[in-house]
Short mmCIF file of all heavy atoms in Angstrom, two decimals:
data_model
loop_
_atom_site.label_atom_id
_atom_site.label_comp_id
_atom_site.label_asym_id
_atom_site.label_seq_id
_atom_site.Cartn_x
_atom_site.Cartn_y
_atom_site.Cartn_z
N ASP A 312 261.72 264.34 246.18
CA ASP A 312 260.52 264.08 246.99
C ASP A 312 260.63 262.71 247.65
O ASP A 312 260.48 261.68 247.00
CB ASP A 312 259.28 264.14 246.09
CG ASP A 312 258.00 263.92 246.86
OD1 ASP A 312 258.04 263.90 248.11
OD2 ASP A 312 256.94 263.76 246.22
N ILE A 313 260.85 262.69 248.96
CA ILE A 313 260.99 261.43 249.67
C ILE A 313 259.66 260.71 249.84
O ILE A 313 259.61 259.54 250.20
CB ILE A 313 261.67 261.66 251.04
CG1 ILE A 313 262.31 260.36 251.56
CG2 ILE A 313 260.69 262.25 252.05
CD1 ILE A 313 263.23 260.54 252.73
N THR A 314 258.54 261.42 249.57
CA THR A 314 257.22 260.79 249.64
C THR A 314 256.81 260.19 248.30
O THR A 314 255.70 259.65 248.18
CB THR A 314 256.15 261.80 250.09
OG1 THR A 314 255.99 262.82 249.08
CG2 THR A 314 256.53 262.45 251.40
N HIS A 315 257.67 260.30 247.28
CA HIS A 315 257.39 259.66 245.99
C HIS A 315 257.21 258.16 246.22
O HIS A 315 257.83 257.57 247.12
CB HIS A 315 258.57 259.93 245.05
CG HIS A 315 258.39 259.40 243.67
ND1 HIS A 315 258.71 258.09 243.33
CD2 HIS A 315 257.92 259.97 242.53
CE1 HIS A 315 258.45 257.89 242.06
NE2 HIS A 315 257.97 259.01 241.55
N PRO A 316 256.37 257.48 245.44
CA PRO A 316 256.07 256.06 245.70
C PRO A 316 257.30 255.16 245.81
O PRO A 316 257.32 254.26 246.65
CB PRO A 316 255.19 255.66 244.51
CG PRO A 316 254.52 256.92 244.10
CD PRO A 316 255.51 258.02 244.35
N VAL A 317 258.32 255.38 244.98
CA VAL A 317 259.46 254.46 245.01
C VAL A 317 260.23 254.57 246.32
O VAL A 317 260.43 253.56 247.01
CB VAL A 317 260.37 254.68 243.79
CG1 VAL A 317 261.58 253.74 243.85
CG2 VAL A 317 259.60 254.45 242.50
N PRO A 318 260.70 255.77 246.76
CA PRO A 318 261.37 255.82 248.07
C PRO A 318 260.42 255.54 249.23
O PRO A 318 260.83 254.94 250.23
CB PRO A 318 261.92 257.25 248.14
CG PRO A 318 261.13 258.03 247.16
CD PRO A 318 260.76 257.08 246.06
N ASP A 319 259.17 255.94 249.09
CA ASP A 319 258.21 255.72 250.17
C ASP A 319 258.02 254.23 250.44
O ASP A 319 258.13 253.77 251.57
CB ASP A 319 256.88 256.38 249.80
CG ASP A 319 255.89 256.36 250.96
OD1 ASP A 319 256.33 256.46 252.11
OD2 ASP A 319 254.67 256.25 250.70
N LEU A 320 257.75 253.45 249.40
CA LEU A 320 257.55 252.02 249.57
C LEU A 320 258.85 251.32 249.93
O LEU A 320 258.85 250.37 250.71
CB LEU A 320 256.95 251.43 248.29
CG LEU A 320 255.56 251.95 247.93
CD1 LEU A 320 255.08 251.35 246.62
CD2 LEU A 320 254.55 251.64 249.04
N THR A 321 259.96 251.79 249.35
CA THR A 321 261.25 251.21 249.70
C THR A 321 261.53 251.37 251.19
O THR A 321 262.03 250.45 251.85
CB THR A 321 262.37 251.87 248.88
OG1 THR A 321 262.20 251.54 247.50
CG2 THR A 321 263.74 251.40 249.33
N GLY A 322 261.17 252.53 251.74
CA GLY A 322 261.37 252.76 253.16
C GLY A 322 260.56 251.83 254.04
O GLY A 322 261.00 251.45 255.13
N TYR A 323 259.37 251.43 253.58
CA TYR A 323 258.55 250.49 254.34
C TYR A 323 259.18 249.10 254.36
O TYR A 323 259.03 248.35 255.33
CB TYR A 323 257.15 250.38 253.73
CG TYR A 323 256.22 251.50 254.13
CD1 TYR A 323 255.76 252.41 253.19
CD2 TYR A 323 255.79 251.64 255.45
CE1 TYR A 323 254.90 253.45 253.56
CE2 TYR A 323 254.93 252.66 255.82
CZ TYR A 323 254.49 253.57 254.86
OH TYR A 323 253.64 254.58 255.22
N ILE A 324 259.86 248.72 253.29
CA ILE A 324 260.36 247.35 253.15
C ILE A 324 261.73 247.18 253.81
O ILE A 324 262.03 246.14 254.38
CB ILE A 324 260.45 246.98 251.66
CG1 ILE A 324 259.08 247.11 250.99
CG2 ILE A 324 260.99 245.56 251.48
CD1 ILE A 324 259.13 247.07 249.48
N THR A 325 262.56 248.20 253.71
CA THR A 325 263.96 248.09 254.11
C THR A 325 264.18 248.51 255.57
O THR A 325 263.25 248.95 256.24
CB THR A 325 264.84 248.93 253.19
OG1 THR A 325 264.35 250.28 253.18
CG2 THR A 325 264.79 248.38 251.77
N GLU A 326 265.42 248.36 256.03
CA GLU A 326 265.74 248.63 257.43
C GLU A 326 266.58 249.89 257.55
O GLU A 326 267.74 249.86 257.97
CB GLU A 326 266.50 247.44 258.03
CG GLU A 326 265.65 246.19 258.13
CD GLU A 326 266.10 245.08 257.18
OE1 GLU A 326 267.15 245.24 256.54
OE2 GLU A 326 265.40 244.07 257.08
N GLY A 327 265.98 251.01 257.15
CA GLY A 327 266.66 252.29 257.25
C GLY A 327 266.95 252.88 255.89
O GLY A 327 266.42 252.42 254.86
N GLN A 328 267.79 253.90 255.85
CA GLN A 328 268.18 254.53 254.60
C GLN A 328 269.37 255.45 254.83
O GLN A 328 269.57 255.96 255.93
CB GLN A 328 267.03 255.35 254.00
CG GLN A 328 266.61 256.58 254.80
CD GLN A 328 265.72 256.27 255.97
OE1 GLN A 328 264.92 255.33 255.91
NE2 GLN A 328 265.83 257.06 257.03
N VAL A 329 270.17 255.61 253.78
CA VAL A 329 271.23 256.62 253.76
C VAL A 329 270.75 257.70 252.80
O VAL A 329 270.55 257.44 251.61
CB VAL A 329 272.56 256.03 253.27
CG1 VAL A 329 273.62 257.13 253.17
CG2 VAL A 329 273.03 254.91 254.20
N VAL A 330 270.55 258.91 253.31
CA VAL A 330 269.97 260.00 252.52
C VAL A 330 271.07 260.98 252.12
O VAL A 330 271.84 261.45 252.98
CB VAL A 330 268.86 260.72 253.31
CG1 VAL A 330 268.28 261.87 252.48
CG2 VAL A 330 267.76 259.75 253.71
N LEU A 331 271.14 261.27 250.83
CA LEU A 331 272.10 262.26 250.34
C LEU A 331 271.43 263.63 250.26
O LEU A 331 270.27 263.73 249.88
CB LEU A 331 272.64 261.85 248.97
CG LEU A 331 273.30 260.46 248.89
CD1 LEU A 331 273.96 260.27 247.53
CD2 LEU A 331 274.29 260.25 250.02
N SER A 332 272.17 264.66 250.61
CA SER A 332 271.61 266.00 250.75
C SER A 332 272.13 266.95 249.67
O SER A 332 273.35 267.11 249.51
CB SER A 332 271.97 266.57 252.12
OG SER A 332 271.74 267.95 252.19
N PRO A 333 271.23 267.62 248.94
CA PRO A 333 271.67 268.63 247.97
C PRO A 333 272.42 269.78 248.64
O PRO A 333 273.35 270.34 248.05
CB PRO A 333 270.36 269.11 247.33
CG PRO A 333 269.38 268.00 247.56
CD PRO A 333 269.77 267.40 248.88
N ASP A 334 272.03 270.14 249.87
CA ASP A 334 272.68 271.25 250.56
C ASP A 334 274.14 270.91 250.89
O ASP A 334 275.05 271.74 250.73
CB ASP A 334 271.93 271.61 251.84
CG ASP A 334 270.55 272.18 251.55
OD1 ASP A 334 270.36 272.71 250.44
OD2 ASP A 334 269.66 272.07 252.42
N VAL A 335 274.35 269.69 251.37
CA VAL A 335 275.72 269.28 251.69
C VAL A 335 276.55 269.19 250.41
O VAL A 335 277.72 269.58 250.37
CB VAL A 335 275.70 267.92 252.43
CG1 VAL A 335 277.13 267.45 252.71
CG2 VAL A 335 274.93 268.03 253.74
N HIS A 336 275.93 268.70 249.34
CA HIS A 336 276.63 268.60 248.06
C HIS A 336 277.00 269.97 247.52
O HIS A 336 278.12 270.17 247.01
CB HIS A 336 275.75 267.85 247.06
CG HIS A 336 276.37 267.70 245.70
ND1 HIS A 336 277.56 267.03 245.49
CD2 HIS A 336 275.97 268.14 244.47
CE1 HIS A 336 277.87 267.04 244.21
NE2 HIS A 336 276.93 267.72 243.57
N SER A 337 276.08 270.92 247.64
CA SER A 337 276.36 272.28 247.13
C SER A 337 277.47 272.96 247.92
O SER A 337 278.12 273.88 247.42
CB SER A 337 275.09 273.13 247.16
OG SER A 337 274.64 273.31 248.50
N ALA A 338 277.70 272.49 249.15
CA ALA A 338 278.80 273.05 249.96
C ALA A 338 280.14 272.43 249.57
O ALA A 338 281.17 272.79 250.15
CB ALA A 338 278.52 272.81 251.44
N GLY A 339 280.13 271.49 248.63
CA GLY A 339 281.36 270.90 248.15
C GLY A 339 281.87 269.72 248.95
O GLY A 339 283.04 269.36 248.85
N THR A 340 281.01 269.10 249.75
CA THR A 340 281.42 267.98 250.60
C THR A 340 280.98 266.66 249.98
O THR A 340 279.83 266.51 249.57
CB THR A 340 280.82 268.11 252.01
OG1 THR A 340 281.24 269.35 252.59
CG2 THR A 340 281.26 266.96 252.89
N TYR A 341 281.90 265.70 249.93
CA TYR A 341 281.59 264.35 249.47
C TYR A 341 282.01 263.37 250.56
O TYR A 341 283.09 263.52 251.13
CB TYR A 341 282.33 264.01 248.18
CG TYR A 341 282.16 262.56 247.79
CD1 TYR A 341 281.09 262.15 247.01
CD2 TYR A 341 283.05 261.58 248.26
CE1 TYR A 341 280.92 260.81 246.69
CE2 TYR A 341 282.87 260.24 247.94
CZ TYR A 341 281.80 259.86 247.16
OH TYR A 341 281.62 258.53 246.86
N PRO A 342 281.20 262.36 250.86
CA PRO A 342 279.85 262.10 250.33
C PRO A 342 278.83 263.02 251.01
O PRO A 342 278.95 263.29 252.21
CB PRO A 342 279.61 260.64 250.70
CG PRO A 342 280.41 260.43 251.94
CD PRO A 342 281.64 261.28 251.78
N PRO A 343 277.84 263.51 250.27
CA PRO A 343 276.90 264.48 250.84
C PRO A 343 275.79 263.81 251.66
O PRO A 343 274.60 263.95 251.39
CB PRO A 343 276.33 265.17 249.59
CG PRO A 343 276.35 264.10 248.54
CD PRO A 343 277.59 263.29 248.82
N VAL A 344 276.19 263.06 252.69
CA VAL A 344 275.24 262.34 253.52
C VAL A 344 274.60 263.29 254.52
O VAL A 344 275.29 264.09 255.17
CB VAL A 344 275.93 261.17 254.25
CG1 VAL A 344 274.98 260.49 255.23
CG2 VAL A 344 276.47 260.17 253.25
N ASP A 345 273.28 263.20 254.67
CA ASP A 345 272.57 263.94 255.71
C ASP A 345 272.46 263.02 256.92
O ASP A 345 271.64 262.10 256.93
CB ASP A 345 271.18 264.34 255.22
CG ASP A 345 270.42 265.18 256.24
OD1 ASP A 345 270.86 265.25 257.41
OD2 ASP A 345 269.38 265.76 255.88
N PRO A 346 273.26 263.23 257.96
CA PRO A 346 273.28 262.27 259.07
C PRO A 346 271.98 262.23 259.86
O PRO A 346 271.65 261.20 260.45
CB PRO A 346 274.45 262.78 259.94
CG PRO A 346 274.56 264.23 259.60
CD PRO A 346 274.19 264.35 258.17
N LEU A 347 271.24 263.34 259.90
CA LEU A 347 270.01 263.37 260.69
C LEU A 347 268.83 262.75 259.96
O LEU A 347 267.83 262.43 260.58
CB LEU A 347 269.69 264.80 261.10
CG LEU A 347 270.75 265.49 261.96
CD1 LEU A 347 270.27 266.86 262.41
CD2 LEU A 347 271.12 264.64 263.17
N ALA A 348 268.93 262.58 258.65
CA ALA A 348 267.88 261.92 257.89
C ALA A 348 268.20 260.46 257.63
O ALA A 348 267.35 259.71 257.16
CB ALA A 348 267.64 262.65 256.57
N SER A 349 269.43 260.05 257.94
CA SER A 349 269.88 258.68 257.66
C SER A 349 269.74 257.82 258.90
O SER A 349 269.83 258.31 260.03
CB SER A 349 271.33 258.69 257.18
OG SER A 349 271.48 259.48 256.01
N LEU A 350 269.56 256.52 258.67
CA LEU A 350 269.31 255.61 259.78
C LEU A 350 269.57 254.18 259.34
O LEU A 350 269.23 253.79 258.22
CB LEU A 350 267.84 255.74 260.23
CG LEU A 350 267.30 254.69 261.20
CD1 LEU A 350 267.93 254.88 262.58
CD2 LEU A 350 265.78 254.77 261.30
N SER A 351 270.21 253.40 260.21
CA SER A 351 270.33 251.95 260.02
C SER A 351 269.66 251.29 261.22
O SER A 351 270.19 251.33 262.33
CB SER A 351 271.78 251.52 259.91
OG SER A 351 271.89 250.11 259.90
N ARG A 352 268.48 250.68 260.98
CA ARG A 352 267.73 250.12 262.10
C ARG A 352 268.40 248.89 262.70
O ARG A 352 268.06 248.48 263.81
CB ARG A 352 266.31 249.77 261.65
CG ARG A 352 265.47 250.97 261.26
CD ARG A 352 264.01 250.61 261.03
NE ARG A 352 263.24 251.77 260.64
CZ ARG A 352 262.99 252.11 259.39
NH1 ARG A 352 263.44 251.34 258.41
NH2 ARG A 352 262.28 253.18 259.11
N LEU A 353 269.31 248.28 261.97
CA LEU A 353 269.99 247.09 262.48
C LEU A 353 271.40 247.39 262.98
O LEU A 353 272.15 246.48 263.29
CB LEU A 353 270.05 246.01 261.38
CG LEU A 353 268.71 245.50 260.87
CD1 LEU A 353 268.93 244.40 259.84
CD2 LEU A 353 267.85 244.98 262.01
N MET A 354 271.74 248.67 263.05
CA MET A 354 273.10 249.04 263.42
C MET A 354 273.50 248.46 264.77
O MET A 354 274.63 247.97 264.93
CB MET A 354 273.22 250.56 263.45
CG MET A 354 274.58 251.06 263.91
SD MET A 354 274.69 252.85 263.79
CE MET A 354 276.20 253.14 264.72
N ARG A 355 272.61 248.47 265.73
CA ARG A 355 272.93 247.96 267.06
C ARG A 355 273.25 246.47 267.04
O ARG A 355 273.90 245.95 267.94
CB ARG A 355 271.77 248.22 268.01
CG ARG A 355 271.52 249.68 268.28
CD ARG A 355 272.27 250.15 269.50
NE ARG A 355 272.21 251.59 269.67
CZ ARG A 355 272.86 252.24 270.62
NH1 ARG A 355 273.63 251.57 271.46
NH2 ARG A 355 272.77 253.54 270.73
N LYS A 356 272.76 245.76 266.02
CA LYS A 356 273.05 244.33 265.90
C LYS A 356 274.47 244.08 265.39
O LYS A 356 275.02 243.00 265.61
CB LYS A 356 272.06 243.67 264.93
CG LYS A 356 270.60 243.83 265.32
CD LYS A 356 270.26 243.00 266.53
CE LYS A 356 268.76 243.05 266.82
NZ LYS A 356 268.41 242.26 268.02
N GLY A 357 275.03 245.05 264.68
CA GLY A 357 276.33 244.83 264.05
C GLY A 357 277.44 245.71 264.56
O GLY A 357 278.54 245.70 264.01
N ALA A 358 277.17 246.51 265.59
CA ALA A 358 278.18 247.43 266.12
C ALA A 358 278.33 247.21 267.61
O ALA A 358 277.39 246.82 268.30
CB ALA A 358 277.79 248.87 265.83
#
Side-chain angles (χ1 to χ4, degrees):
D312 181 10
I313 202 168
T314 66
H315 183 274
V317 179
D319 188 33
L320 296 178
T321 294
Y323 279 113
I324 302 166
T325 55
E326 294 112 7
Q328 67 280 327
V329 176
V330 180
L331 303 188
S332 166
D334 293 336
V335 177
H336 180 60
S337 64
T340 301
Y341 172 88
V344 174
D345 183 347
L347 299 185
S349 301
L350 169 70
S351 173
R352 295 189 181 95
L353 299 182
M354 176 175 168
R355 294 268 171 184
K356 303 289 186 181

